[in-house]
Amino acid sequence: MRSRLLVTVLALAVLAAGCGRLPVATDRQEPSTARPEASRSADETGETFEGDIRLAARLGEDFWRRRFAAEGANYRPLREFVPYRSQDGPACGGEPALPENAFYCPDGHFVAFDEPWMRGMYDRLGDASAYLIILHEIGHAVQAQTMSQYRLNVERELQADCYAGGALGSLVAERRLGPEEGDDEELLVNLAAAGDPTDAWWRPDAHGTAEQRQQAFTVGYNQGVGAC
């Protein structure tokens, strides 16, 4: 099974050890009776960088569509997921796309990512990177639709991490994604690699330290997006 984003009990135990004991999930649906993603075709379930990007985008948006519907609201799907190369990315709000970056653009309601940079992480750190990044950026799209307000950028970023954890946790509980040995280590490494080097929480580009990002993701995974 190549769609291997199951966060195992071991991974969650390691994360929880650094941030206090977390309760089990209370925001989950029962496992779906639909056929698991692992039984679908290779193109649908991953197997490649491109396939994992498509799968993460499709499942992530489907999760939020159902979540909004349960609250009597409509989720507005993203217009597109745009791969770019270094300096050739789409502008957003008059600002150019940055190399080695992924972002949600509220003006065009799309997600864009530097494809060679993201593929490099995928090759070095495993396919967990594709799911973490895509689900995180979809989390920003959710924030835009719910008109969330923040005093600091780090609050916005950590909530998006929490949303990514909550979405992933539900997809695993529903058996939309399946386990593979080593997923826990991949997830921890990717979260640590994405952390800020210092806790400069006041910076306009602060995303949170490795520990803060791991904790935010774990809260979402264990307790669901309602805890974010």
Side-chain angles (χ1 to χ4, degrees), residues 136-137 140 143 150 152-162 205-208 213 216:
H136 175 95
E137 299 306 333
H140 285 312
Q143 291 170 335
Y150 312 90
L152 301 167
N153 188 69
V154 69
E155 295 174 329
R156 182 193 311 274
E157 296 299 335
L158 291 177
Q159 186 182 55
D161 285 336
C162 186
D205 60 348
H207 280 57
R213 299 197 71 168

Side-chain angles (χ1 to χ4, degrees), residues 81-208:
F81 290 79
V82 184
Y84 65 91
R85 302 181 69 84
S86 188
Q87 305 287 348
D88 297 331
C92 178
E95 296 294 326
L98 298 175
E100 300 187 356
N101 191 34
F103 63 93
Y104 164 68
C105 180
D107 289 351
H109 194 51
F110 64 84
V111 165
F113 56 92
D114 184 336
E115 190 269 344
W117 166 73
M118 198 160 160
R119 186 186 293 272
M121 287 195 297
Y122 183 92
D123 292 339
R124 292 193 312 274
L125 304 179
D127 59 356
S129 60
Y131 293 82
L132 287 172
I133 292 172
I134 293 298
L135 293 177
H136 175 95
E137 299 306 333
I138 291 175
H140 285 312
V142 170
Q143 291 170 335
Q145 293 183 55
T146 57
M147 295 182 288
S148 302
Q149 300 295 319
Y150 312 90
R151 294 173 302 161
L152 301 167
N153 188 69
V154 69
E155 295 174 329
R156 182 193 311 274
E157 296 299 335
L158 291 177
Q159 186 182 55
D161 285 336
C162 186
Y163 279 166
L168 181 59
S170 289
L171 292 170
V172 169
E174 295 165 3
R175 297 185 297 175
R176 306 289 297 279
L177 290 171
E180 187 170 284
E181 186 178 355
D183 288 339
D184 47 357
E185 291 88 352
E186 278 188 23
L187 185 61
L188 290 168
V189 168
N190 276 277
L191 286 165
D196 293 337
T198 63
D199 185 18
W201 50 265
W202 59 89
R203 290 174 56 94
D205 60 348
H207 280 57

Side-chain angles (χ1 to χ4, degrees), residues 6 27-37 59 62-64 66-67 166-178 221:
L6 177 64
D27 190 46
R28 302 282 179 77
Q29 299 183 19
E30 292 299 315
S32 171
T33 56
R35 61 187 179 130
E37 292 298 326
L59 292 184
D62 181 65
F63 166 78
W64 284 108
R66 291 182 286 116
R67 176 74 185 188
L168 181 59
S170 289
L171 292 170
V172 169
E174 295 165 3
R175 297 185 297 175
R176 306 289 297 279
L177 290 171
Y221 186 90

Side-chain angles (χ1 to χ4, degrees), residues 9-63:
V9 173
L10 173 60
L12 293 177
V14 171
L15 289 174
C19 59
R21 185 174 179 83
L22 297 172
V24 297
T26 58
D27 190 46
R28 302 282 179 77
Q29 299 183 19
E30 292 299 315
S32 171
T33 56
R35 61 187 179 130
E37 292 298 326
S39 68
R40 298 177 186 267
S41 70
D43 182 63
E44 290 178 296
T45 59
E47 298 291 350
T48 64
F49 170 76
E50 293 83 0
D52 279 314
I53 293 293
R54 287 193 296 269
L55 183 61
R58 177 166 61 82
L59 292 184
E61 291 220 274
D62 181 65
F63 166 78

